[in-house]
Amino acid sequence: MRPITLKGKLYLIPTTLGEMNPHDVLPQTVKRAIDFIDDYIVENEKTARKFIKSIHPEKVQNSLRISSLNKRTEVSEYNAMIAPCLNGLNVGLMSEAGCPGVADPGAVIVKIAHEKGIQVVPLVGPSSILLAMMGSGMNGQSFAFNGYLPIDKGDKKTALKNFENLSSTKNQSQIFIETPYRNNKLLEDLLQILQPNTHLCIATDITLPTEFIKTFRVADWKKIKVDLHNRPTIFIIHKF
């Protein structure tokens, strides 16, 4: 009779939201997980190795077996990435920034893990979405994350008007993001499209020394100069 191989676990390992000391925002459980995990699924191998070294300098880099999960990854590669778990090894899933599986391609790996009966272990760490919501002063009892807005100007205007109406009719704060180099253009669009009394929270560089989190009415934002270019930013709107 062949021995039964116990399955390894899939650890969801959060990372920092930017260049900073990881020990300022991450608990010791993250370091302990990295200590015993050698197999990783990451968005970018170079930055993943840099993060692992920053939080656990003693970790031998040559011991790491890293698979890349990004827009170029073929669906046919997913099962091979999580295969070590089926052979009794633990695997770490890491996002490029923040929590894996949330606004992150890693969600597909977590789904496969559940389908294969692999235990999923989410670890505590910074989520820019949740931290922005916490700091916004908006409705923490009911909110929705909508990802990226449409690129087409007409579609974007329609989406924003829909979110504005949803926030009013459902009393539900609406969260969205943009590619950082387009942030300033999105802010211009928000100030043109949204109604003057709609509240807008801009949460930028969360947890970093340059952190900026402010909530004002759209009419008030029109009097404020802020440069969001290439700065990771969360936008939240609510029409009360």
Side-chain angles (χ1 to χ4, degrees):
M1 182 180 294
R2 294 177 61 184
I4 298 175
T5 301
L6 296 177
K7 294 177 181 176
K9 300 175 183 178
L10 178 66
Y11 285 81
L12 310 186
I13 301 175
T15 63
T16 57
L17 297 176
E19 293 288 337
M20 64 178 306
N21 185 343
H23 301 290
D24 288 342
V25 293
L26 295 170
Q28 283 297 306
T29 50
V30 173
K31 181 179 184 297
R32 288 197 293 268
I34 289 175
D35 183 49
F36 64 77
I37 295 174
D38 290 328
D39 292 89
Y40 292 90
I41 303 170
V42 307
E43 285 190 72
N44 181 289
E45 180 173 350
K46 182 178 179 180
T47 55
R49 286 183 178 276
K50 182 179 179 180
F51 169 75
I52 291 171
K53 185 174 183 179
S54 71
I55 197 168
H56 199 324
E58 303 85 5
K59 187 75 175 181
V60 179
Q61 290 282 322
N62 289 340
S63 70
L64 304 180
R65 296 178 291 273
I66 297 179
S67 299
S68 295
L69 175 67
N70 49 52
K71 61 184 179 182
R72 293 181 297 276
T73 305
E74 298 290 338
V75 174
S76 58
E77 300 176 55
Y78 294 165
N79 285 328
M81 290 181 178
I82 204 167
C85 287
L86 300 177
N87 295 320
L89 299 175
N90 296 304
V91 173
L93 175 66
M94 293 196 303
S95 175
E96 187 72 359
C99 296
V102 180
D104 170 79
V108 67
I109 299 298
V110 178
K111 180 176 181 290
I112 293 173
H114 285 298
E115 292 171 350
K116 294 182 177 296
I118 296 167
Q119 182 178 347
V120 175
V121 184
L123 301 181
V124 174
S127 163
S128 59
I129 299 168
L130 184 57
L131 292 171
M133 192 65 231
M134 290 166 59
S136 70
M138 296 185 185
N139 190 1
Q141 300 293 332
S142 180
F143 55 89
F145 176 65
N146 299 286
Y148 292 92
L149 295 175
I151 295 177
D152 179 81
K153 188 171 183 178
D155 292 340
K156 182 187 298 182
K157 181 176 181 179
T158 299
L160 285 172
K161 283 297 185 182
N162 287 337
F163 293 150
E164 191 174 45
N165 289 334
L166 276 173
S167 70
S168 177
T169 57
K170 291 190 174 183
N171 190 28
Q172 183 184 69
S173 299
Q174 302 295 318
I175 310 170
F176 46 89
I177 56 177
E178 180 56 284
T179 305
Y181 73 84
R182 293 179 180 151
N183 281 338
N184 284 337
K185 180 61 173 67
L186 175 56
L187 179 56
E188 290 178 11
D189 293 338
L190 293 174
L191 300 186
Q192 290 176 3
I193 295 169
L194 299 176
Q195 296 185 21
N197 287 329
T198 293
H199 284 70
L200 167 65
C201 174
I202 297 176
T204 299
D205 291 347
I206 297 174
T207 73
L208 304 182
T210 52
E211 180 179 86
F212 176 93
I213 303 176
K214 296 289 183 182
T215 298
F216 297 113
R217 294 179 311 136
V218 167
D220 297 322
W221 274 115
K222 291 181 177 180
K223 307 170 188 175
I224 300 170
K225 296 293 184 182
V226 57
D227 184 8
L228 306 176
H229 184 65
N230 279 342
R231 300 171 68 186
T233 302
I234 302 288
F235 299 88
I236 310 176
I237 64 172
H238 199 133
K239 181 183 177 185
F240 292 95

